[in-house]
Amino acid sequence: MGKKKIVIANWKMSLTLRESIQLAKEVSAESANVKNVDVVLCPSFTALPSVGPLLPQTVALGAQDVFWEEKGAYTGAIAPRLLTEMGCRYVLIGHSERRQYFQETDAMVNKKVLAALRAGLIPVLCVGENNDERRNGQKDYVVMRQVAEAIRGVTLLGTQELIVAYEPVWVIGTGQAVSGDDAEHMSQVIRHTITDIIPPVTMESRCRVLYGGSVDAKNVADFTHRNVIDGVLVGGSSLKSSSFFGILSRVR
Ligand code: PGA
């Protein structure tokens, strides 16, 4: 708790290579004005080798997905070491769009988390309930299950770190985030679930819990001023430097 806040931009499949380079240049130019916030950009795989070298020390590179095997006959897949080779420090894992459109299961997400940690990447594990699960009163249960299954076997040795982002599926991309109180409650649920598996001292020093889902310049401070919310994962509002900087300048 009380850690340095982090803002992660998830560009999804929204930008061409040229647009990615342009946005990375704009973010890099302005990032000198951003103090006390860790900034991470997650472009498409194809933009990683061009975006990485443009970033200053204060802005880190992340990928949007990873495969769990290290090498071999896995057509189309990207191994963790191929990401570290590109300069990635972070990788999103188990984003709801991966779960929805690519049928990723909790077991697959777990293999990805373990493989990312082995390779020295910081996994950004995404969890969150969908509309039906929320309506049926299952949101805490769903998130607890997703976290517990994803971090099965994780110990966080040496310098390994873990980030968990609570992203309620039903608000992603809608422009309507959940309330700060709601996000805080789920952050506590996630923290309790993590400490069933990872010792509390390790969790305090090596884990961060974020909120994601329609974060913008207007609502960001309502999440980040809370001790138990260590930052935000941003989709739509990270695609223009003006809206992204609106967020960065309001992080508390
Ligand atoms: P959004 O996306 O900010 O556009 O809601 C967040 C995400 O999917 O990570």
Side-chain angles (χ1 to χ4, degrees), residues 160-175:
Q160 290 177 337
E161 290 175 42
L162 173 72
I163 295 178
V164 180
Y166 169 57
E167 296 209 304
V169 179
W170 53 283
V171 304
I172 291 177
T174 62

Side-chain angles (χ1 to χ4, degrees), residues 10 12 95 97 167 171-173 213-215 233-236:
N10 175 10
K12 306 194 181 184
H95 190 281
E97 288 148 17
E167 296 209 304
V171 304
I172 291 177
S214 294
V215 172
L233 176 54
V234 187

Side-chain angles (χ1 to χ4, degrees), residues 7 9 11 24 26-32 34 37-42 51-52 54-62 87 89-90 244-245 248:
V7 176
W11 292 353
E26 290 169 16
V27 172
S28 300
E30 290 230 29
S31 65
V34 178
V37 182
D38 288 332
V39 181
V40 182
L41 302 184
C42 301
V51 166
L54 297 173
L55 303 181
Q57 288 276 322
T58 49
V59 181
L61 189 66
R89 269 202 81 205
Y90 297 82
F244 192 52
F245 276 95
L248 291 176

Side-chain angles (χ1 to χ4, degrees), residues 6-10 38-42 60-66 83 88-96 98-99 104 109-110 112-117 120-128 146-147 150-151 154 156 161-167 190 194 206-212 230-234:
I6 183 167
V7 176
I8 304 179
N10 175 10
D38 288 332
V39 181
V40 182
L41 302 184
C42 301
L61 189 66
Q64 298 176 16
D65 183 35
V66 66
L83 296 180
C88 288
R89 269 202 81 205
Y90 297 82
V91 59
L92 306 183
I93 295 178
H95 190 281
S96 62
R98 299 290 318 170
R99 296 178 193 255
E104 280 193 13
V109 169
N110 177 237
K112 292 182 175 196
V113 168
L114 291 168
L117 286 169
L121 291 159
I122 301 175
V124 181
L125 165 66
C126 303
V127 297
Q146 288 178 343
V147 173
I151 67 171
V154 168
L156 295 186
E161 290 175 42
L162 173 72
I163 295 178
V164 180
Y166 169 57
E167 296 209 304
I190 290 168
I194 294 175
R206 308 278 186 76
C207 298
R208 292 197 268 196
V209 180
L210 316 186
Y211 169 74
D230 299 307
V232 286
L233 176 54
V234 187

